Amino acid sequence: MSERAAAEWQTATLTEVRRETPYTSTFRFAVPAWQGHLPGQHLMLRLTAEDGYTAQRHYSIASPPEDSGHIELTLDHVEGGEVSGWFHTVAEPGDEIEVRGPLSGFFAWPGDRPALLIGAGSGVVPLMSMVRHHRAHGLSVPLRLLVSARSPEDLIYAREFGAETTPVFTRSAPQGVPVGRMAAAHVAPLLAAQPEGGWEAYVCGSNAFAEHASRLLVEAGQPVDRIRIERFG
């Protein structure tokens, strides 16, 4: 894809809304001119009101590159958020917005190396694009996902996760599952049995979570220069 194409605004038409959790939904758009992206990349979204007022936000892309002509964004309903509030309370299929991208290749995973993915809350969104890409191609390269959520009800994409995913619940959990913050006990076993070539680690979440997860990785032996971090909020 060309840098020029990524820099141009394109019209995206909302085609579907799927509820993921009580406060999170996935919004699917048709973008006929979209030239593709790599799992982990994000885009710029622009809303324009009737009076000409515009609001722009960066959002990670949830869908895999294989979903040609479409992109999906998974958004939390942030209290007081003008853009997320519009999506969750006003938007309906047929509405049009503008998007520009994809942006940033630093956090992208092209599927060519073992990937250890660690996310919390909506930080799982770009990581899910990687998981979906891995499945779409039946890749043999190892991929593992550690994802933290407050409770099973707050676990985004819960119905899609498989054997590659280990959920960690910080507030409440199913019977027999420990409750607590992500800890060395979750990370260390994956570092102790690394695949050939070692892991490329991708961490996405709030500033506090990113610092915590990165520290766990380093303490378990992950090289600092093989930890990629995407922060939100």
Side-chain angles (χ1 to χ4, degrees), residues 10 17-18 23-24 27-28 36 40 50 57 88 95 112 124 135 140 164 167 169 195 204 208 214 225 227:
Q10 301 179 47
V17 180
R18 299 195 308 272
Y23 300 101
T24 307
F27 300 85
R28 181 173 176 81
E50 292 183 2
R57 297 289 188 276
H88 281 271
D95 287 342
D112 60 348
V124 74
R135 292 176 179 171
S140 59
E164 79 288 315
F169 300 110
C204 188
S214 299
D225 62 355
I227 301 175

Side-chain angles (χ1 to χ4, degrees), residues 53-74:
Y53 172 77
T54 63
Q56 298 182 173
R57 297 289 188 276
H58 287 275
Y59 288 118
S60 296
I61 302 169
S63 47
E66 294 73 25
D67 197 1
S68 181
H70 295 82
I71 53 174
E72 292 188 352
L73 307 176
T74 300

Side-chain angles (χ1 to χ4, degrees), residues 34-51:
W34 188 254
Q35 295 194 20
H37 61 280
L38 292 173
Q41 288 188 294
H42 63 273
L43 55 70
M44 177 75 83
L45 178 152
R46 182 166 69 186
L47 296 179
T48 302
E50 292 183 2
D51 62 2

